[in-house]
Amino acid sequence: MLTISQDLYDQIVAHARADHPDEACGVLAGPAGSERPERFIPMVNAARSPTFYEFDSTEQFGVWKEMDERDEEPVVIYHSHTATEAYPSRTDISYAGEPGAHYVLVSTRDPAVAEFRSYRIVDGRVTEEPVTVVE
């Protein structure tokens, strides 16, 4: 189960809406071993695409290095889908390289309602998990 603050939830949705019609992407960092997302890190979609995202390799290296220096880890890796449901694509599954992370997808296909869902993706297996938003 993913427990996330209302503030972090809102920041992810706002980033997804701001980057629409392109997919947005980023990370929520938290203390290593805690499973507690605390720090919002929006990243650039190097693909600048409405159907695909990829982290800029230089930016990703810097973000992961900074997390390591702060004794943090990527608790949540998020991105948006702009025209489809918030479910991992085959490409998303193949790129999921952090088995301990929660993979959050936000669909911005409906301008009035953001679909926000979380998954664990391990060895190509996708398992949806509940999301609890707290104040």
Side-chain angles (χ1 to χ4, degrees), residues 9-10 12-14 16-17 20 80-86 105-117:
Y9 177 99
D10 292 344
I12 289 173
V13 172
R17 293 247 184 255
H20 188 90
S80 61
H81 282 181
T82 60
T84 60
E85 71 175 317
L105 277 93
V106 176
S107 176
T108 57
R109 65 184 169 172
D110 181 338
V113 178
E115 181 186 351
F116 190 105
R117 295 166 70 183

Side-chain angles (χ1 to χ4, degrees), residues 8-134:
L8 291 172
Y9 177 99
D10 292 344
Q11 288 182 77
I12 289 173
V13 172
H15 184 204
R17 293 247 184 255
D19 280 13
H20 188 90
D22 289 340
E23 290 191 4
C25 58
V27 175
L28 299 182
S34 73
E35 294 242 349
R36 195 174 63 244
E38 294 184 349
R39 190 164 63 96
F40 176 69
I41 307 169
M43 296 174 69
V44 171
N45 178 355
R48 301 207 188 282
S49 167
T51 58
F52 178 74
Y53 87 97
E54 82 181 310
F55 293 141
D56 174 83
S57 59
T58 302
E59 181 183 30
Q60 183 178 7
F61 178 80
V63 167
W64 261 247
K65 184 174 185 261
E66 180 184 20
M67 282 190 290
D68 191 48
E69 290 167 354
R70 295 171 61 129
D71 199 26
E72 294 176 326
E73 63 188 10
V75 177
V76 171
I77 297 174
Y78 74 86
H79 76 281
S80 61
H81 282 181
T82 60
T84 60
E85 71 175 317
Y87 189 85
S89 68
R90 284 190 304 262
T91 303
D92 296 338
I93 295 165
S94 70
Y95 278 32
E98 295 284 346
H102 301 270
Y103 285 88
V104 165
L105 277 93
V106 176
S107 176
T108 57
R109 65 184 169 172
D110 181 338
V113 178
E115 181 186 351
F116 190 105
R117 295 166 70 183
S118 183
Y119 305 88
R120 295 295 190 148
I121 305 174
V122 180
D123 296 329
R125 247 185 78 224
V126 177
T127 306
E128 188 166 7
E129 62 182 350
V131 176
T132 300
V133 180
V134 297

